[in-house]
Amino acid sequence: MTSSNPSGDVDTQSAENSAREPVVVWSRPEQERQGTPLLILLHGHLANEDDLMGILEFLPDEFTVASVRAPVAMGPGFTWFPLQHDAAYSVDKVTAAVQDVVDWVDSNRGGHSSVSLLGFSMGMAVATSMLRARPADYAAVVGLSGFAVPDEGREFFRDEELQANPVPFFWGRDQEDPVISPDRIEFTHGWLNRHTRLTKVLYAGMFHSINVQELGHVREFLQLSVPGVSRTPPQR
């Protein structure tokens, strides 16, 4: 996904306020957020909080969008946790990163009519983990070209609660995605089928990215899944 800044007013929340407070870029100034549904964007490995803001024009206008920066600086951007094939990876590092975002959401959800999540690549792993930690907190979740992580028995993941009350989930990907390994796809597919109200769409020739057709489907999914979001066409 190519980095892009949205048009209009955007304010950035500084991480200097707290060592564990994420950097966030918003689509609206604070005085315009009251009563709106909140959509949280979670970028992929080695990207940053600006990376997904280029999709704003494709999303329903009713949303206030907040794009969150991952906590660990790496290479040209940031990452949420070590890659699963790295020796430094552990599920505890996943849950620590996710808990920080959950805590931030808790401090910012007030005044919003609902909260939904959209994650790309590793950001989808964060989004699914947030959903599993707080199954009743989210109206809908979108996962793009990403995966879910095995829980390894951690109580952090409340999968039984989610399975009892599944949340609408959109999963878009290309079968030829060269980044997400087949074993992670197999696990993710099985987990989503068991625990969510899954809408799954495959896109040929997209590889590890996001395309306009997919964004049109994401818009429709959010319009159908999130209360108070109208079925208006994008203004482009």
Side-chain angles (χ1 to χ4, degrees):
M1 187 67 193
T2 303
S3 296
S4 176
N5 287 317
S7 59
D9 293 325
V10 177
D11 63 271
T12 303
Q13 178 175 331
S14 173
E16 294 177 359
N17 295 332
S18 168
R20 302 177 72 87
E21 185 89 354
V23 172
V24 179
V25 61
W26 293 86
S27 65
R28 301 176 191 263
E30 186 172 3
Q31 64 271 21
E32 296 180 9
R33 300 172 196 165
Q34 184 70 27
T36 60
L38 176 62
L39 179 64
I40 298 169
L41 305 184
L42 303 155
H43 65 75
H45 181 60
L46 303 185
N48 62 40
E49 68 279 10
D50 290 325
D51 189 60
L52 290 174
M53 293 299 281
I55 72 173
L56 281 185
E57 63 180 307
F58 298 95
L59 299 174
D61 295 335
E62 290 87 350
F63 281 104
T64 290
V65 176
S67 188
V68 181
R69 178 191 291 179
V72 181
M74 180 178 290
F78 299 84
T79 192
W80 298 97
F81 49 83
L83 297 173
Q84 285 179 277
H85 61 261
D86 289 349
Y89 172 83
S90 72
V91 71
D92 292 329
K93 290 182 179 179
V94 176
T95 60
V98 169
Q99 186 63 59
D100 286 347
V101 185
V102 169
D103 291 343
W104 177 83
V105 173
D106 283 346
S107 66
N108 286 274
R109 67 167 56 246
H112 290 285
S113 58
S114 65
V115 180
S116 299
L117 307 172
L118 185 155
F120 172 73
S121 193
M122 185 184 281
M124 177 176 164
V126 177
T128 51
S129 298
M130 291 174 68
L131 175 64
R132 297 163 78 179
R134 295 284 191 87
D137 280 13
Y138 306 106
V141 181
V142 174
L144 306 178
S145 300
F147 59 98
V149 299
D151 62 28
E152 298 184 13
R154 301 302 195 277
E155 293 183 358
F156 182 87
F157 298 94
R158 293 152 57 182
D159 285 2
E160 290 185 3
E161 293 180 31
L162 179 59
Q163 188 170 13
N165 293 285
V167 170
F169 198 108
F170 179 94
W171 186 28
R173 54 177 291 265
D174 185 346
Q175 285 185 304
E176 302 301 320
D177 187 329
V179 173
I180 311 302
S181 60
D183 60 318
R184 286 188 290 174
I185 292 297
E186 182 179 4
F187 172 81
T188 301
H189 191 192
W191 183 86
L192 288 170
N193 273 325
R194 291 191 302 272
H195 296 92
T196 71
R197 288 162 47 197
L198 178 62
T199 299
K200 181 184 72 171
V201 186
L202 299 175
Y203 302 90
M206 185 174 69
F207 305 108
H208 191 67
S209 66
I210 301 170
N211 68 22
V212 172
Q213 182 186 25
E214 182 178 39
L215 289 171
H217 292 156
V218 167
R219 182 185 182 90
E220 292 173 3
F221 168 80
L222 292 170
Q223 288 172 330
L224 290 170
S225 302
V226 179
V229 177
S230 62
R231 300 196 66 179
T232 56
Q235 300 297 315
R236 298 199 303 274

